[in-house]
Amino acid sequence: MLLRKSVVPLNRDSTGRFLPWLVAVMVYLAALALVSAMAMSKIVTRWDHGLSGQITVQLPVSESELSDAEVDARRESVIRLLLQSPGVLSANHMGAEETAALLEPWLGQSSGLSELPLPELIAVEIDQVAPPDTASLTARVEEIVPGATIDDHQRWLGNLLSLARSIEIVAALVVLLVGLSAVIMVVFVTRMGLAVHYQIVELLHLIGAQDGYIAREFQIHSLKLGFFGGLVGVTLAAVTIIGISQLLGRAGTALLPELTLAPIEWAILSLLPFAAALVAMVTARFTVLRTLARIP
Amino acid sequence: MVRFQDVSLRYGAGPEILDRVSLDLAPGSFHFVIGASGAGKSSLLKMMYLAQRPTSGRISLFGRDVSSLSRHDAALLRRRIGVVFQDFRLLDHLSTLDNVALPLKVSGQRSEEIRKDVVELLTWVGLADHLDAKPATLSGGQQQRVAIARAVVSRPSLLLADEPTGNVDNRIAERLLYLFEELNKRGTTIVVATHNEALISRFRYPVIRLVRGEVRLEHAETLIRTSDMPGYEASGSTTSGGASRLRGSPESAG
Ligand SMILES: Nc1ncnc2c1ncn2[C@@H]1O[C@H](COP(=O)(O)OP(=O)(O)OP(=O)(O)O)[C@@H](O)[C@H]1O
Ligand SMILES: [Mg+2]
């Protein structure tokens, strides 16, 4: 029918043929980067949630032989001290079994565990709004039990946090680089298309086409390529994620992150093809407009 | 309608193609442009359809200085100018119908409204049987007629034709000129660059002759006498500003 087809026959030449596949690869990488960042931040929240509000007082195995009664008395006075301190909500002794259970993921279900000289642990719940001063608390506990320490998990959490932060930064960097490469690619593909179809572009210009009209021919083509590539990339990424999360599920250890995505996270992933399409479209448009500006 | 004031043109560091040319073509006028090959006929027309900026001087079209036009306004102005390019510039992948409809589509008209006009026009130029043909399958003369149809389809106020009869026999050339004449009668200003002396003597319109970068306005009659009598210098038709400057208008020209 009359003039239904595009004026610039971009889909008939090979200039843009490889673009969707490159976009697919890039969206795939971006998706995986995003998912790792999201998984990492989920672990951090889980640990943070579990550990903040808690500190652990650790009483060392005493060097001089103490009778069980003396050990108990020592521990009870520490607990009493803790409970009297401002900011402390509760303090509970963790028995040998509990302590062993904590260590199990690291050491395994070793039968010899109970024979090891394990330190005594007191789990302390603290008021998060007005937490006690750990340093002075340590000093006072040490008056009763020399060598006692208080672990507020900050070091361990801090390490985890900075790991998570680095993974997030790397992920953001990957997404940024991927986006940048996509932009550069689209610029080149569009320039190639402009060169191949220069005669047509010039004619359109001379018969009074506005720059925007000519740009539209290119940007719609680019949008289609970007969207298709993005769709392929995100589909492959989804398959990969589901595969990995099943492998993780089978391994079933608490140490590894879970990789089941929440609906919101799937939604973020499904936005990627649209983002790719948008980037491709806007880039093509600006490339064409900039080139046209050189034609008088 | 078309006004050049001291317009000079050179490509890059090349020689002066046009040297301080001044001319003033009134609305509704009809001019031929002649000159040896390479004299600058196409270059002159290119500046008229805003494909080439002059090196110096002022050009105004439709009473507007073109150097001060925004890109948007320049595009709107181009829509009022129909151009028959020397090399046609048809789009290979589009049918005759689509090629001719292109200017209408570009200016935002809807396909349904376009079709009747386009078919009518193509029938007029004798291409009714080739509506769906691609340019590559048409003869040179047929392609030229497609190019002409595309130039006039949007009823431009100014029609610029660069060798529009180069590939057709005299009978078709005359027929095409009658089309131009018809448009001219309805008010279209027309400039036709041509080598075809037969046409010039048949249609007695004033002639802009390009010689060594300068323009002279001549009557068709004097031109014929010039070619009849070698060495004759037509000085009667040039106006003030030196023998080589042109300040012509149809009134002053004949
Ligand atoms: N884009 C360009 N770049 C450099 N030189 C050019 C360009 N276009 C034309 N010229 C030169 O300008 C001069 C005039 O060219 P133009 O095409 O205007 O001549 P013409 O009168 O139309 O010739 P013809 O009758 O062969 O069509 C020629 O010497 C040509 O080489
Ligand atoms: Mg020429």
Side-chain angles (χ1 to χ4, degrees), chain A residues 137-214:
Chain A
L137 205 57
T138 309
R140 275 184 291 150
V141 172
E142 259 197 305
E143 280 169 20
I144 307 170
V145 183
T149 56
I150 293 182
D151 183 1
D152 59 3
H153 313 295
Q154 285 313 311
R155 200 163 49 92
W156 149 233
L157 251 185
N159 286 344
L160 193 69
L161 270 174
S162 59
L163 174 66
R165 193 79 7 99
S166 344
I167 288 181
E168 271 165 23
I169 289 171
V170 169
L173 222 62
V174 168
V175 172
L176 199 77
L177 286 178
V178 158
L180 210 68
S181 326
V183 165
I184 292 170
M185 250 163 34
V186 172
V187 167
F188 273 102
V189 167
T190 306
R191 285 214 191 130
M192 221 146 68
L194 278 167
V196 169
H197 301 291
Y198 186 74
Q199 303 274 339
I200 299 175
V201 168
E202 195 187 22
L203 178 83
L204 287 174
H205 178 68
L206 288 178
I207 64 177
Q210 298 288 0
D211 292 351
Y213 180 95
I214 300 171

Side-chain angles (χ1 to χ4, degrees), chain A residues 1-9 12 199-200 202-211 213 217 292-296, chain B residues 49-53 71-72 75-76 78-79 85 89 91 93-94 97-98 101-103 105-106 111-112 114-115 134 150:
Chain A
M1 226 358 253
L2 183 70
L3 286 175
R4 283 280 180 262
K5 52 190 140 193
S6 58
V7 177
V8 185
R12 294 214 209 149
Q199 303 274 339
I200 299 175
E202 195 187 22
L203 178 83
L204 287 174
H205 178 68
L206 288 178
I207 64 177
Q210 298 288 0
D211 292 351
Y213 180 95
E217 294 273 327
L292 286 179
R294 277 185 246 136
I295 306 178
Chain B
Y49 58 76
L50 307 182
Q52 180 68 50
R53 290 205 185 96
R71 285 187 77 78
H72 181 265
L76 294 181
R78 283 190 183 94
R79 292 183 192 171
F85 301 96
R89 303 203 191 184
L91 303 195
H93 67 289
L94 296 183
L97 202 63
D98 288 345
L102 199 56
K105 197 191 176 192
V106 159
S111 303
E112 307 83 63
I114 293 171
R115 193 184 161 88
K134 298 282 161 67
R150 186 184 61 195

